[in-house]
Amino acid sequence: MILTVVARHWVGQSQLAPILPGAFPRPLPQYGQNAIIVTAQKPKPLYWVASSLEDLRSFPERVKDGFGHALYLAQTGRKDPQAKPLKGFRGAGVLEVVEDYAGDTYRAVYTVRFVGAVYVLHAFQKKSKHGIETPKKELDLVRERLRRAERHYANAQEKN
């Protein structure tokens, strides 16, 4: 299953409608609730592969806000400073964002390999206390979901 979010920025539980035609606001929790930056660039569609959306929704609000910000930047063609290429994947097309909260580590993996879309491949809480590497089981799941995203994107391109 792949869910689609188009032209909306999801941060935690807040969804903001455009305040200007063609403009999309982004809340900045670190600067207070009333701080908003408006960008005129229309975000790319955001697709959630398999259980990635449900998994992300189970995270603490502060973690969701950080991931939401990173995904919004990806949708608008930019890169969050915390987003790093995931090892084991060619180039910088598969990125991982890591958030620490209350002694736990959360990770979100997404791909920007496609010109017209961003796919969230996986979101999980890292359980292992040994090392910082992403566990092999999680990498295998990312690979399988990346293949699903590639098929989905190819099918969408054929229809257009």
Side-chain angles (χ1 to χ4, degrees):
M1 171 178 67
I2 296 181
L3 299 175
T4 309
V5 177
V6 179
R8 284 236 174 184
H9 176 61
W10 178 71
V11 176
Q13 294 182 356
S14 63
Q15 284 195 357
L16 301 174
I19 58 175
L20 298 171
F24 301 89
R26 177 173 55 82
L28 298 170
Q30 66 270 31
Y31 297 111
Q33 292 227 328
N34 296 325
I36 293 179
I37 288 182
V38 176
T39 178
Q41 182 177 352
K42 183 178 179 181
K44 297 176 188 178
L46 182 64
Y47 297 96
W48 300 88
V49 180
S51 65
S52 57
L53 179 58
E54 292 81 19
D55 297 338
L56 188 80
R57 283 184 173 160
S58 71
F59 295 167
E61 283 300 313
R62 195 176 121 228
V63 173
K64 290 190 280 190
D65 287 346
F67 289 157
H69 176 71
L71 293 171
Y72 179 76
L73 290 177
Q75 284 181 274
T76 57
R78 296 174 287 165
K79 181 177 165 279
D80 188 281
Q82 292 187 29
K84 306 290 185 228
L86 187 60
K87 291 182 181 172
F89 295 84
R90 298 181 313 262
V94 177
L95 300 165
E96 179 178 52
V97 180
V98 178
E99 291 281 338
D100 292 316
Y101 179 76
D104 293 319
T105 300
Y106 299 85
R107 297 179 182 215
V109 179
Y110 62 95
T111 185
V112 293
R113 285 186 179 179
F114 313 109
V115 174
V118 175
Y119 285 81
V120 182
L121 303 172
H122 193 26
F124 62 100
Q125 180 180 354
K126 187 171 181 291
K127 303 282 186 187
S128 172
K129 303 295 181 200
H130 306 288
I132 60 171
E133 285 188 17
T134 304
K136 181 183 180 326
K137 176 184 99 171
E138 306 297 347
L139 290 174
D140 291 342
L141 185 59
V142 168
R143 282 188 186 87
E144 186 270 320
R145 290 182 176 181
L146 179 58
R147 286 190 292 272
R148 287 172 69 175
E150 288 168 343
R151 286 192 304 270
H152 180 268
Y153 188 75
N155 289 339
Q157 294 305 302
E158 287 175 9
K159 291 178 184 176
N160 292 335

